[in-house]
Amino acid sequence: MDVETVVRRFLTTELGKDMSQVGVDDSMLESGTIDSIGVMQLVAFLGKTFEITVEDDDLTPENFDTIGAIAAFVARRQAAARG
């Protein structure tokens, strides 16, 4: 399953968010789809699910504002882990 699908499923099932109208590049922070607590829950989930480490410096809108940004962040982390 790709990162986008996994993230959408998490936000729907764990945070109770309706993701049907959220596009890959829509700001989830601006729309209120996710808040800072939700981001922290998502970060923990991503770390466990994709076996990546998320540092404090990574917690930026550039990495977690959109589903596309999240998918790109996970891909970068996975590539770095592979060396």
Side-chain angles (χ1 to χ4, degrees):
M1 208 176 316
D2 66 13
V3 174
E4 179 183 336
T5 301
V6 171
V7 169
R8 285 181 183 279
R9 184 171 290 157
F10 172 81
L11 294 172
T12 301
T13 60
E14 299 300 320
L15 300 184
K17 302 297 181 177
D18 177 8
M19 299 302 293
S20 63
Q21 300 299 313
V22 178
V24 70
D25 294 321
D26 291 344
S27 172
M28 294 189 297
L29 296 169
E30 286 181 18
S31 68
T33 301
I34 194 167
D35 59 15
S36 58
I37 294 171
V39 169
M40 296 311 296
Q41 291 172 305
L42 177 61
V43 164
F45 171 78
L46 292 172
K48 181 179 174 184
T49 303
F50 294 104
E51 299 178 349
I52 61 171
T53 301
V54 181
E55 305 293 338
D56 289 343
D57 292 346
D58 296 326
L59 298 175
T60 64
E62 292 79 22
N63 290 330
F64 291 96
D65 188 33
T66 69
I67 291 175
I70 294 166
F73 173 77
V74 170
R76 286 192 308 275
R77 283 292 183 213
Q78 288 177 320
R82 286 190 295 270

